[in-house]
Amino acid sequence: SEEIGASRKEFMNTGDINKWPYKLYTEKKMLYGLLEDEKNYQQAFQRISRNMRTMYTHAYQSYIWNHCASYRIEKHGYKIMVGDLV
């Protein structure tokens, strides 16, 4: 939304985390971790709940799977090949 975009832009310009919208609570928690130590991504990721960490991890796994499947179809089409699990 425009509100979120404006809030992100203001944060990038000022560094004021208090301008971050409440509905982006999870992202705000991660930003607090990065503001403490901008190189410690693990610490920032650990600040969010276990359920959200799991969801983000599964989403990334899906992204990788979809990318690989798209590449395979682009390169070889829909024909079955040696090594395919059918």
Side-chain angles (χ1 to χ4, degrees), residues 7-26:
S7 297
R8 285 181 177 160
K9 199 175 283 187
E10 188 167 349
F11 170 73
M12 294 302 289
N13 291 332
T14 65
D16 186 4
I17 191 93
N18 295 316
K19 303 293 183 184
W20 203 259
Y22 181 76
K23 57 183 142 188
L24 296 177
Y25 177 76
T26 301

Side-chain angles (χ1 to χ4, degrees), residues 9-61:
K9 199 175 283 187
E10 188 167 349
F11 170 73
M12 294 302 289
N13 291 332
T14 65
D16 186 4
I17 191 93
N18 295 316
K19 303 293 183 184
W20 203 259
Y22 181 76
K23 57 183 142 188
L24 296 177
Y25 177 76
T26 301
E27 291 85 349
K28 189 174 186 177
K29 287 185 79 162
M30 289 181 67
L31 282 173
Y32 272 121
L34 290 172
L35 288 173
E36 284 180 10
D37 182 358
E38 65 184 39
K39 302 272 188 219
N40 195 342
Y41 302 111
Q42 183 177 3
Q43 172 185 295
F45 195 60
Q46 291 295 327
R47 285 182 161 258
I48 62 176
S49 70
R50 183 177 186 278
N51 289 343
M52 288 302 290
R53 288 194 309 265
T54 302
M55 186 191 75
Y56 278 115
T57 303
H58 290 167
Y60 189 64
Q61 287 172 336

Side-chain angles (χ1 to χ4, degrees), residues 43-85:
Q43 172 185 295
F45 195 60
Q46 291 295 327
R47 285 182 161 258
I48 62 176
S49 70
R50 183 177 186 278
N51 289 343
M52 288 302 290
R53 288 194 309 265
T54 302
M55 186 191 75
Y56 278 115
T57 303
H58 290 167
Y60 189 64
Q61 287 172 336
S62 294
Y63 168 79
I64 292 171
W65 167 259
N66 290 335
H67 184 74
C68 291
S70 295
Y71 176 78
R72 189 250 183 251
I73 291 170
E74 185 178 296
K75 188 167 175 123
H76 302 290
Y78 291 102
K79 64 182 177 186
I80 297 174
M81 310 224 13
V82 173
D84 285 349
L85 299 175

